[in-house]
Amino acid sequence: MTTLNRRHLLAAAAGLALPWSAPASAQAWPARPIRMISPYGAGGSNDILTRVLGDFLGRRLGQGIVVENKAGAGTRIANDFVAKAPPDGYTLLHAAAPIAIGEALYKDLPYDVHRSFAAIASTAIAPLFLVVNAQAPYRTLAEFVKHAKAQPGGATFGSPGAGSAPHLTAELLLRAAGAKGVVVQYRGDAPAYTELLAGRIDATLTAISTAVPHIQAGKLRVLGVANEERSPLYLDAPTLREQGLPSVVGYGWYGMLAPAGTPAAVVERLNAEINAAVADADVRRKAEAAGLQLRGGSAAEFSAFIGSETRKWAQIIKAANITAE
């Protein structure tokens, strides 16, 4: 009996020394700090939320989260960097909405949004509010559309850049309303606001955090929000769907991706922790201060969302003949 027990113990010890397969390796993750890549520069809403999530996840995972900003080229620099990173769970991308329109705007992308990444979870949306000059004669979406149809050139929208969420959503709104219009491209929100406040353009689609000071000063008016449902950031704004344009849903969004091939156990753990983060009151408070509405959900739901966004905006890009700058 003693010999048998000794033999079993030696076999068990030998087994512990053997290298194990991917599931066991994934179980030991994370064993070192994790890089979380933001596709924008420091100080913007993506960067802010990336750092807030990094702090939360770092505490939960027991490892440091190092945030790196790789801005430029409409998020393509960061996207490509993560697509080519080792699929070991130590490099993550806090992706933004432009990743879903890249294949419709650019030729020969060095990555494929559907094949180069593993979806982890949606993190937040940046709702877009339809904002007009407070002195304008239209006070509802219906009145705005009527005004646009009555003008020879239609309505003029200000956009912070070609291919941005405000640009594409404005094009979607015009088509859904059956109205003509022009979306004027500016370099960022500030010049678009200058023109709107001066009455030289009719409207813009924007984050409520940017608009609130002008609304409170009585200079701008909100006509609605392009969300599926009213936004907790500004509940007074009815959705454009409520007001007769059910197809007009558009917003900026963020979500976590990893390189394709990242172990399923790592993706599952990250998904669980991100969902815990978006349910956390302190994370929510900081996100809402940056004009963001937190989301969450499964990896499969986020993957399906990216697919639907890619198809939806490709149609608008083609219909509006939008080209990359």
Side-chain angles (χ1 to χ4, degrees):
M1 194 63 133
T2 305
T3 305
L4 184 62
N5 286 343
R6 178 180 173 80
R7 192 175 297 149
H8 284 173
L9 287 170
L10 288 171
L16 288 173
L18 291 174
W20 290 98
S21 58
S25 311
Q27 192 174 5
W29 175 92
R32 64 178 191 271
I34 298 165
R35 290 192 299 179
M36 194 176 288
I37 308 301
S38 168
Y40 295 107
S45 59
N46 180 282
D47 173 70
I48 291 169
L49 184 58
T50 303
R51 294 176 190 279
V52 170
L53 291 174
D55 288 344
F56 184 93
L57 266 62
R59 293 193 299 272
R60 301 272 294 203
L61 297 172
Q63 285 290 346
I65 306 289
V66 180
V67 174
E68 295 183 16
N69 300 91
K70 294 189 179 294
T75 77
R76 299 192 304 284
I77 291 172
N79 302 342
D80 186 44
F81 178 83
V82 175
K84 292 179 171 59
D88 54 12
Y90 291 99
T91 304
L92 307 176
L93 172 67
H94 196 199
I99 197 172
I101 65 169
E103 66 183 33
L105 276 181
Y106 307 102
K107 294 180 179 179
D108 303 321
L109 280 177
Y111 55 86
D112 184 307
V113 68
H114 308 293
R115 297 185 180 90
S116 301
F117 303 96
I120 297 172
S122 174
T123 57
I125 64 169
L128 292 177
F129 292 81
L130 178 61
V131 177
V132 301
N133 191 298
Q135 302 304 312
Y138 29 84
R139 305 187 68 85
T140 66
L141 176 64
E143 291 174 356
F144 175 75
V145 170
K146 183 179 179 180
H147 167 82
K149 290 180 176 179
Q151 306 306 308
T156 51
F157 281 83
S159 159
S164 63
H167 176 195
L168 297 179
T169 305
E171 296 284 4
L172 176 60
L173 191 160
L174 289 169
R175 279 157 180 74
K180 294 180 181 179
V182 176
V183 184
V184 184
Q185 306 304 329
Y186 297 97
R187 293 189 178 278
D189 282 315
Y193 268 84
T194 298
E195 295 299 285
L196 183 61
L197 290 166
R200 289 189 286 267
I201 57 175
D202 295 317
T204 190
L205 284 149
T206 185
I208 197 66
S209 55
T210 311
V212 159
H214 303 293
I215 295 166
Q216 292 175 339
K219 295 179 179 179
L220 294 181
R221 178 186 302 139
V222 179
L223 299 187
V225 62
N227 265 14
E228 294 93 345
E229 298 174 348
R230 292 196 183 201
S231 171
L233 300 179
Y234 197 82
L235 285 170
D236 289 342
T239 67
L240 304 185
R241 300 177 80 170
E242 286 177 60
Q243 300 181 75
L245 296 181
S247 66
V248 184
V249 174
Y251 35 69
W253 56 261
Y254 304 134
M256 207 66 70
L257 298 175
T262 297
V266 172
V267 171
E268 289 168 10
R269 176 74 189 279
L270 282 166
N271 176 270
E273 299 300 353
I274 288 170
N275 276 289
V278 301
D280 182 81
D282 188 53
V283 172
R284 185 171 300 276
R285 178 182 59 79
K286 291 173 180 176
E288 290 182 352
L292 299 175
Q293 185 178 327
L294 291 177
R295 284 199 167 178
S298 70
E301 287 169 336
F302 185 41
S303 179
F305 171 76
I306 293 172
S308 68
E309 287 284 283
T310 302
R311 293 186 296 273
K312 171 182 175 178
W313 297 121
Q315 292 175 351
I316 295 298
I317 288 166
K318 182 177 179 180
N321 195 28
I322 298 170
T323 57
E325 290 183 325

